[in-house]
Amino acid sequence: MYGSKLQKNKIRPPRRGINGGDIDFESTWNILAAAIRQIHTKNASALSYEELYRHTYRVILKKKGHDLYERVLGFEKDWLSKEVKGGAQGLITDGLVASMQDGGGNTTMNEQRVAGERFLKGLREEWQDYQLCMSMLTDVLMYMERVYCTDNRQPSVYTTSLTLFRDNILRSDASAKHPNQKIQGILNKIMLDQVHMERNGDIIDKHLVKSCVYMLESLFEGISEDINQRLYITSFEQEFLDSSREFYKKEGDTLLRDRDAGTYCRHAARRIQEEQDRCRSTLSESTTPKIEAVVEDELIRNKIHDLIESDSGVKFMVDNDRIEELGLVYELNSRVDFKKTELVRAIQNRIVEMGTEVNKAAIAASQAPSAPAIPAEGGEKEKSKAASAEKAVNQQTVAALKWVEEVLQLKDKFDEIWKRAFASDQLMQTALTRSFSEFINSSAFPRSSEYISLFIDENMKKGIKGKSENEVDIVLEKAIVLLRYIVDKDLFERYYKKHLCKRLLMNKSLSNDVEQQMISRMKIELGNNFTTKLEAMFKDMTISDELTSGFKDHVAKLGDPDPKRIELGVSILTSMTWPLESMGSSGDNEESARLKCVFPMAVEKIKKSFEQYYGEKHSGRQLTWLANMGSADVRATFPKVPSKEGGFKERKHELNVSTYAMIILLLFNDVPNEESMTFEEIQAKTNIPTHDLIRNLQSLAVAPKTRILIKEPMSKDVKPTDKFFFNEGFVGKFHKLKVGVVTAGNKVEGEKERKDTEKKNNDSRGFCIEAAVVRIMKQRKELSHQQLVAETLTQLANQFKPDVNMIKKRIESLIEREYLERIEEAALPSYRYLA
């Protein structure tokens, strides 16, 4: 046992005279040397700590401190070289050295582990024994430490003895047979082998390796105890990091080749956790960030591109809703790159790819030929033709709505990924937004603004029916989300006004409150300028209701007793607010034809009466009647027919028809029974535009359920020579019937209409650009061309993305009109504002 048995009673003050006389240094040293040897040989129980301390005290008082210091160190050096070194070398067998030189030789992994543990245990015991001995010796030589070492700035015996252990044991040759092998090299290699075994799933003695780490952390490269000069850092750690880098490089290559991306991610995350645990339990916690960096470099940073692009990578994970695995990729990429460049790029590419597929599918669906109707006989054949025609007419509208639904589904899909896999990362949100905006505003798909407006239109007319307030809010929010992605918001505004116009005038909107909510949301999102005209349209409708009510009261005050007097309802539209150009039909010279429409006398009378009433209210305003946008309720009486009760019964129906259809039907009041009117005669008497006349005659004479007229010859197409008769035998299932006008075509614009809309929009943009340029120059007075273009782009970014060439043309136009002038003497092309 060690010298806990060494007597440590309280030291009494030296007796008087203890300093007197000379002392024999050699005899005193021999006593101390014998005591030191007994301490090293674990035979210190009989030693007196007080006596040994007094010997040291006397030597120091007689100025022999240097000699004592050197003798102690010399003793320790001899002891290490002769007694300890042999024991350490005896731990090294030929098999152990061979296994390290040729990668294992003929020994098994288990044999290597056992031999390595034997070496580590032996070296640990030698170190712990020596460390304990030196701790006891320090107590004996305490006075020398306090006086001599302090006064002469010498390192303590304990510190110097550890340096001797480093030089005489760890840095000594392993054996005479292996002069090129050092004990410390073997120690490092065995510790690395133990770590390698644990990485491969073997169980090792962690505490044994940890004790050797403590030894290396206690030893330093020099005398000074600089933390960065610990032997653990200078000798072992870098070797550990280098071997780990090689290990993980090979493992990463193998995993990437043999495993799917999800498994790879889980393995990489597990390896990082293992290394963190290993540093806590087996090595040093100071190594944690360094080994993490190695694992991250080899398993993540150097492999992340190939991992993401692999067959089972991000594309596969997105397509198959592998949310957990996407989360692992996100976490791994986040460890090595704050911007997550590779993941962002892959996600953006996949969104654009999927979005482009949606765009292409919408284009293909809108252009695909409609399926032919199944042949049938008689009335069924006609119904089949009508259904086929209706299907063809709505084909593009269905494609448009499907596009919006698929984009929203795509948005929901990636929102879910963003929340669950990407931890609602703001950087990822920005990337998602940019990608959605990219494919929605793709030059190859110019119909986004129209389709989104049409989506809102359909929901306002049908989609919100029967839905709760929360469900309606969800629909409105979806529309706003899509609107955020639109770059050309001015084009969306044009389509939205067009669709809103028809909803308001035809009374198709299910709820004015929801319409107002939508406009309020748009105002918050896009500003007052965007919604000013939309709000004005609602104001016009309110004023129109007041005018209609006022006119009705006005007529009542006149005391007109005519029971057949027509009841008039009007919508007064401000020409600068409403998209009047979109309200006409597509016939040639439609504006002229519309103005000259011939109304029946009864209608003309009430029309002129209202004009007079309106003129008294608002002098100087001119009314233009738009018959193509109106509707009428007509009471139709058909000849008597035999009833079930006997006798004859007169049939009456209330027909809700377009204004044009009302004009056509009233013509037949003056046509004798069994006589007809040709298409040309009807047009001559009504002056209804050709295209609108065809549509209305098809509704009245071709549609199976509303054949108020009979057409000869019977066919879907209407020709100038066709004859029309009043259908005295018409039978309707209900008293009130709605005669819908055969649609003029798809709700989605045709190619020609779209080009016209774009042209009008570009003209409107020209005015916006000019206004922006003038505002900027009025404020800045002088500006270079490049700065002016940049500021104009910035100002108009919330409305649309202007073409630079268009900006240049508008600047030239302003110069010609003397709003601006060029500054000739400027180094760069510049302009000056002219007040």
Side-chain angles (χ1 to χ4, degrees):
M1 293 296 295
Y2 266 123
S4 54
K5 307 292 189 287
L6 209 141
Q7 298 173 14
K8 287 192 176 182
N9 298 325
K10 184 177 180 181
I11 302 173
R12 294 187 298 275
R15 293 189 302 275
R16 183 178 295 181
I18 194 171
N19 297 334
D22 294 333
I23 64 166
D24 185 353
F25 174 76
E26 291 298 332
S27 61
T28 303
W29 164 245
N30 289 335
I31 294 171
L32 290 173
I36 294 172
R37 183 175 297 279
Q38 285 181 307
I39 290 173
H40 278 301
T41 56
K42 305 178 183 179
N43 191 24
S45 58
L47 296 177
S48 169
Y49 175 80
E50 180 182 352
E51 181 183 344
L52 294 174
Y53 181 88
R54 289 179 183 279
H55 284 306
T56 304
Y57 179 79
R58 291 192 191 98
V59 171
I60 299 303
L61 287 182
K62 293 303 181 180
K63 307 299 182 183
K64 296 291 185 179
H66 176 73
D67 295 338
L68 179 59
Y69 184 79
E70 292 296 330
R71 290 289 182 93
V72 170
L73 295 183
F75 181 93
E76 292 303 323
K77 184 175 181 181
D78 289 343
W79 178 263
L80 288 170
S81 299
K82 295 175 182 177
E83 303 297 335
V84 178
K85 182 178 178 180
Q89 290 176 334
L91 299 170
I92 303 169
T93 63
D94 292 341
L96 182 64
V97 175
S99 66
M100 293 187 295
Q101 289 179 336
D102 57 13
N106 297 323
T107 59
T108 64
M109 188 62 68
N110 186 57
E111 289 173 340
Q112 289 183 44
R113 185 179 68 255
V114 170
E117 288 180 353
R118 175 177 169 275
F119 174 83
L120 294 179
K121 286 177 182 177
L123 191 61
R124 178 185 65 180
E125 290 174 5
E126 295 286 2
W127 162 253
Q128 290 177 345
D129 285 350
Y130 187 72
Q131 196 177 30
L132 181 58
C133 291
M134 295 315 300
S135 178
M136 295 170 64
L137 183 57
T138 298
D139 290 340
V140 171
L141 302 174
M142 187 183 301
Y143 191 75
M144 184 180 73
E145 297 271 357
R146 290 178 179 176
V147 178
Y148 171 76
C149 293
T150 303
D151 291 348
N152 293 276
R153 298 183 179 179
Q154 292 287 350
S156 67
V157 171
Y158 183 84
T159 300
T160 308
S161 64
L162 296 187
T163 304
L164 293 174
F165 186 90
R166 176 199 69 195
D167 295 337
N168 292 276
I169 303 301
L170 295 184
R171 292 182 176 176
S172 64
D173 294 338
S175 65
K177 294 182 181 179
H178 308 287
N180 296 326
Q181 291 280 354
K182 301 296 182 183
I183 291 178
Q184 185 175 337
I186 293 175
L187 171 64
N188 290 351
K189 182 65 172 64
I190 291 174
M191 289 170 65
L192 292 176
D193 284 346
Q194 294 290 309
V195 170
H196 184 76
M197 290 175 194
E198 187 180 34
R199 283 175 178 158
N200 287 331
D202 290 339
I203 297 175
I204 65 169
D205 189 340
K206 295 181 181 181
H207 297 294
L208 178 60
V209 179
K210 186 73 171 180
S211 63
C212 294
V213 169
Y214 283 146
M215 176 183 70
L216 294 177
E217 287 187 317
S218 301
L219 300 173
F220 297 83
E221 283 291 337
I223 295 298
S224 62
E225 296 184 351
D226 181 356
I227 192 171
N228 293 319
Q229 291 297 308
R230 291 180 302 172
L231 218 56
Y232 173 81
I233 293 176
T234 60
S235 172
F236 172 76
E237 187 178 66
Q238 191 56 49
E239 196 172 340
F240 166 71
L241 296 175
D242 291 342
S243 66
S244 298
R245 188 177 301 278
E246 184 179 352
F247 173 82
Y248 284 118
K249 183 178 184 302
K250 291 179 180 177
E251 183 177 74
D253 292 338
T254 302
L255 284 171
L256 203 59
R257 183 181 64 249
D258 299 340
R259 304 288 180 86
D260 62 85
T263 302
Y264 184 99
C265 291
R266 292 187 188 90
H267 184 85
R270 187 175 71 251
R271 282 301 197 190
I272 292 172
Q273 185 62 49
E274 286 176 0
E275 293 298 338
Q276 292 170 344
D277 294 341
R278 183 173 294 111
C279 289
R280 280 193 296 269
S281 63
T282 309
L283 302 177
S284 170
E285 290 196 50
S286 65
T287 306
T288 303
K290 300 174 185 177
I291 189 61
E292 281 180 353
V294 169
V295 180
E296 288 169 358
D297 282 345
E298 297 305 327
L299 292 187
I300 305 175
R301 183 175 284 108
N302 297 340
K303 300 291 191 301
I304 192 69
H305 176 77
D306 294 337
L307 175 71
I308 287 174
E309 294 297 325
S310 66
D311 292 340
S312 57
V314 167
K315 180 177 181 294
F316 173 83
M317 294 175 186
V318 169
D319 294 347
N320 294 277
D321 297 322
R322 301 288 184 90
I323 304 293
E324 180 191 356
E325 293 177 0
L326 283 169
L328 291 171
V329 175
Y330 168 79
E331 290 174 6
L332 293 182
N333 203 182
S334 299
R335 295 186 71 94
V336 299
D337 180 10
F338 170 74
K339 294 182 178 180
K340 298 165 278 290
T341 308
E342 289 293 338
L343 179 59
V344 165
R345 178 189 52 77
I347 289 292
Q348 286 185 315
N349 288 345
R350 189 57 191 145
I351 291 174
V352 173
E353 286 172 4
M354 296 176 79
T356 303
E357 290 171 7
V358 172
N359 291 349
K360 289 179 179 178
I363 294 171
S366 65
Q367 295 175 349
S370 58
I374 300 173
E377 295 184 0
E380 291 298 322
K381 184 175 181 180
E382 290 174 0
K383 289 181 182 180
S384 178
K385 284 183 178 180
S388 179
E390 185 178 354
K391 183 176 179 181
V393 162
N394 291 328
Q395 186 170 300
Q396 286 193 1
T397 302
V398 171
L401 296 176
K402 185 180 179 184
W403 177 85
V404 175
E405 291 295 338
E406 289 182 351
V407 171
L408 287 173
Q409 288 173 10
L410 196 62
K411 178 71 169 60
D412 290 341
K413 179 185 181 76
F414 281 95
D415 278 349
E416 186 73 6
I417 291 173
W418 176 68
K419 289 175 185 175
R420 293 176 56 195
F422 301 156
S424 299
D425 187 300
Q426 193 57 46
L427 194 68
M428 296 302 297
Q429 174 67 60
T430 303
L432 297 181
T433 301
R434 192 180 299 120
S435 301
F436 272 91
S437 182
E438 182 178 341
F439 82 78
I440 287 174
N441 296 289
S442 170
S443 58
F445 189 76
R447 292 187 176 271
S448 303
S449 297
E450 183 183 6
Y451 282 9
I452 293 172
S453 177
L454 187 60
F455 167 77
I456 299 172
D457 182 61
E458 286 294 309
N459 275 287
M460 291 298 181
K461 291 192 294 187
K462 302 175 185 176
I464 61 173
K465 187 175 183 180
K467 290 187 175 179
S468 66
E469 287 187 14
N470 288 337
E471 290 172 330
V472 170
D473 283 341
I474 291 171
V475 172
L476 297 184
E477 184 58 30
K478 284 181 177 180
I480 291 297
V481 165
L482 292 176
L483 183 54
R484 288 189 189 117
Y485 294 129
I486 294 293
V487 171
D488 296 331
K489 292 183 173 61
D490 59 332
L491 187 58
F492 169 80
E493 180 188 7
R494 184 173 291 273
Y495 283 115
Y496 190 82
K497 281 170 60 180
K498 173 184 172 182
H499 292 138
L500 177 62
C501 162
K502 292 182 178 179
R503 288 201 300 277
L504 293 178
L505 294 180
M506 296 181 178
N507 200 26
K508 293 284 188 179
S509 184
L510 290 175
S511 169
N512 278 341
D513 289 340
V514 176
E515 292 278 9
Q516 295 284 5
Q517 284 180 41
M518 188 69 208
I519 291 176
S520 297
R521 286 171 180 259
M522 288 182 181
K523 181 184 287 189
I524 293 170
E525 193 69 31
L526 304 172
N528 290 335
N529 291 338
F530 186 86
T531 58
T532 300
K533 290 185 177 180
L534 302 179
E535 291 171 329
M537 292 168 71
F538 279 94
K539 187 177 180 180
D540 281 353
M541 296 304 293
T542 303
I543 294 172
S544 297
D545 290 341
E546 293 172 356
L547 281 169
T548 299
S549 178
F551 179 66
K552 188 175 181 180
D553 293 342
H554 169 72
V555 171
K557 288 177 183 178
L558 293 177
D560 190 347
D562 186 2
K564 294 185 178 180
R565 182 181 179 89
I566 297 172
E567 187 175 320
L568 179 67
V570 293
S571 296
I572 307 296
L573 315 179
T574 306
S575 58
M576 296 299 292
T577 300
W578 293 73
L580 300 179
E581 74 280 356
S582 68
M583 298 183 196
S585 58
S586 57
D588 295 329
N589 198 22
E590 62 179 78
E591 189 69 21
S592 174
R594 194 189 307 141
L595 291 175
K596 294 178 182 179
C597 177
V598 179
F599 290 93
M601 287 305 297
V603 177
E604 188 67 29
K605 179 181 176 182
I606 193 73
K607 175 172 162 282
K608 287 183 178 180
S609 177
F610 179 80
E611 287 175 349
Q612 182 181 355
Y613 169 78
Y614 185 79
E616 293 171 357
K617 291 273 186 182
H618 305 281
S619 60
R621 293 188 184 179
Q622 181 181 359
L623 290 177
T624 302
W625 294 83
L626 303 175
N628 61 302
M629 296 301 294
S631 64
D633 289 329
V634 179
R635 293 188 183 92
T637 303
F638 295 87
K640 295 180 179 180
V641 294
S643 64
K644 294 180 181 179
E645 295 80 11
F648 291 86
K649 181 181 179 182
E650 194 173 54
R651 290 169 296 128
K652 293 183 178 181
H653 290 282
E654 287 187 11
L655 308 177
N656 177 259
V657 297
S658 69
T659 302
Y660 283 153
M662 180 259 309
I663 296 171
I664 295 168
L665 288 175
L666 291 182
L667 289 178
F668 285 87
N669 283 340
D670 302 326
V671 177
N673 292 342
E674 299 183 358
E675 289 192 18
S676 65
M677 293 183 71
T678 65
F679 176 87
E680 292 173 335
E681 289 172 341
I682 294 172
Q683 187 169 35
K685 289 186 177 184
T686 62
N687 209 16
I688 296 174
T690 303
H691 192 78
D692 287 324
L693 183 57
I694 291 173
R695 291 168 54 209
N696 281 276
L697 286 174
Q698 285 175 328
S699 299
L700 294 168
V702 177
K705 295 180 181 179
T706 57
R707 287 182 183 169
I708 314 300
L709 304 178
I710 297 175
K711 175 179 174 293
E712 287 185 0
M714 187 60 194
S715 64
K716 175 187 172 183
D717 298 327
V718 176
K719 298 178 181 178
T721 56
D722 287 349
K723 294 180 180 181
F724 296 88
F725 301 82
F726 179 66
N727 184 7
E728 296 181 355
F730 173 77
V731 177
K733 292 183 179 180
F734 305 100
H735 175 67
K736 292 184 178 181
L737 297 173
K738 181 177 178 63
V739 181
V741 179
V742 173
T743 180
N746 295 333
K747 294 178 184 177
V748 176
E749 288 183 335
E751 196 65 29
K752 181 178 181 298
E753 291 174 304
R754 187 172 62 82
K755 287 181 179 178
D756 289 342
T757 300
E758 288 180 355
K759 182 179 183 303
K760 291 171 185 174
N761 202 57
N762 285 336
D763 293 342
S764 178
R765 285 182 178 182
F767 298 131
C768 291
I769 291 171
E770 286 186 359
V773 170
V774 170
R775 281 196 303 271
I776 293 166
M777 292 303 298
K778 192 172 184 179
Q779 182 182 11
R780 304 292 292 275
K781 303 305 180 187
E782 293 183 1
L783 210 59
S784 70
H785 173 79
Q786 191 171 357
Q787 287 177 307
L788 178 57
V789 171
E791 290 196 26
T792 303
L793 288 168
T794 303
Q795 266 202 21
L796 297 173
N798 289 333
Q799 294 176 257
F800 59 93
K801 186 177 181 181
D803 181 58
V804 175
N805 290 328
M806 185 183 289
I807 296 176
K808 290 179 181 178
K809 289 179 181 179
R810 304 328 296 179
I811 292 174
E812 291 294 334
S813 175
L814 290 171
I815 292 173
E816 290 174 6
R817 288 178 282 158
E818 297 184 351
Y819 283 91
L820 307 177
E821 68 174 359
R822 288 188 174 87
I823 303 176
E824 300 296 341
E825 63 273 14
L828 296 172
S830 301
Y831 308 105
R832 181 183 293 116
Y833 177 70
L834 299 176

